[in-house]
Amino acid sequence: MQHISWEIAEGFNFPESFGKPQDTSNVKITPRWTQEESGESVFLTGIYHISANVAFAEGEAPHHGTSTWTTIEDLDMQGESGYFEYAVPLHVNLPRDRVNKDVPVEVKVDYITTTFQDDGSCHFSWQATCNYEEPQAATAQVEAEVVENSPTTTAEASAQEEPESNAFLWDLEEAYTIKTYNLKEIRKQ
């Protein structure tokens, strides 16, 4: 199983009238995706679904000009706390020859943290991990089966050191000899 991890962060502002965010609860970040193969790649496309309850301090929080953070204006308010949901894009691109097509790719989220800034913004960060199986080489499986099922002789031991292109020789029932030629000698003749 192969693992690739990366960090993601997303910041949010809320309307000044709600107050300054001071605490979060029930924070859930759930990856949702579809897997597609195209050309030389395996693509995972989807979202990180964020849901959280945010508690606000009474009063208005000053916002410092325009912000690069996402503004959440629609909160389900109950008293001084509000619930919201948001989606962050999820895109993963893996080399097709490195992914076993018989085992689905998985993405999971760990280590969710929440921080609050002086500008009244709330920031979520998390670690995303992609788990996938690499394909087994068919020739490696054939060679392993032959080595396990037959006694090793001197001729077979030297054949085991031959390139994968000679793997078909293992299936021959008659005796055979492998001769190696130095290309420099052949060119001189």
Side-chain angles (χ1 to χ4, degrees):
M1 180 77 62
Q2 298 297 315
H3 311 282
I4 302 171
S5 296
W6 59 93
E7 299 290 324
I8 302 174
E10 189 71 27
F12 299 99
N13 276 330
F14 302 94
E16 295 177 19
S17 60
F18 289 136
K20 187 174 183 178
Q22 64 180 3
D23 192 20
T24 59
S25 61
N26 300 324
V27 177
K28 294 179 185 171
I29 301 176
T30 308
R32 297 178 181 162
W33 71 92
T34 59
Q35 181 174 328
E36 297 177 16
E37 292 184 24
S38 175
E40 298 294 318
S41 298
V42 173
F43 297 102
L44 304 181
T45 306
I47 62 169
Y48 297 98
H49 179 257
I50 301 172
S51 62
N53 287 311
V54 180
F56 295 92
E58 291 184 20
E60 292 188 0
H63 290 263
H64 302 287
T66 60
S67 175
T68 58
W69 315 123
T70 302
T71 300
I72 303 294
E73 295 180 0
D74 186 24
L75 283 98
D76 182 14
M77 293 298 292
Q78 295 179 358
E80 294 299 318
S81 68
Y83 173 82
F84 78 97
E85 295 182 15
Y86 189 75
V88 176
L90 178 153
H91 297 285
V92 178
N93 184 359
L94 299 169
R96 185 175 184 177
D97 62 342
R98 301 291 306 259
V99 178
N100 185 340
K101 65 180 181 179
D102 298 328
V103 180
V105 177
E106 298 176 346
V107 177
K108 66 178 187 170
V109 169
D110 292 311
Y111 311 112
I112 300 170
T113 59
T114 306
T115 57
F116 301 95
Q117 305 297 319
D118 291 335
D119 65 357
S121 62
C122 173
H123 298 262
F124 296 99
S125 61
W126 61 93
Q127 179 182 14
T129 303
C130 178
N131 301 313
Y132 63 95
E133 287 283 341
E134 287 191 326
Q136 299 281 335
T139 55
Q141 291 175 350
V142 169
E143 290 176 359
E145 290 173 11
V146 170
V147 170
E148 290 174 8
N149 294 333
S150 64
T152 304
T153 64
T154 306
E156 290 173 337
S158 64
Q160 289 176 6
E161 297 173 3
E162 291 299 313
E164 291 179 15
S165 62
N166 292 333
F168 73 92
L169 294 175
W170 287 105
D171 295 330
L172 296 176
E173 294 180 12
E174 298 177 14
Y176 58 91
T177 304
I178 296 176
K179 175 80 172 140
T180 305
Y181 296 96
N182 186 345
L183 291 178
K184 290 180 183 178
E185 293 175 8
I186 294 173
R187 290 183 185 147
K188 289 179 183 177
Q189 296 176 358

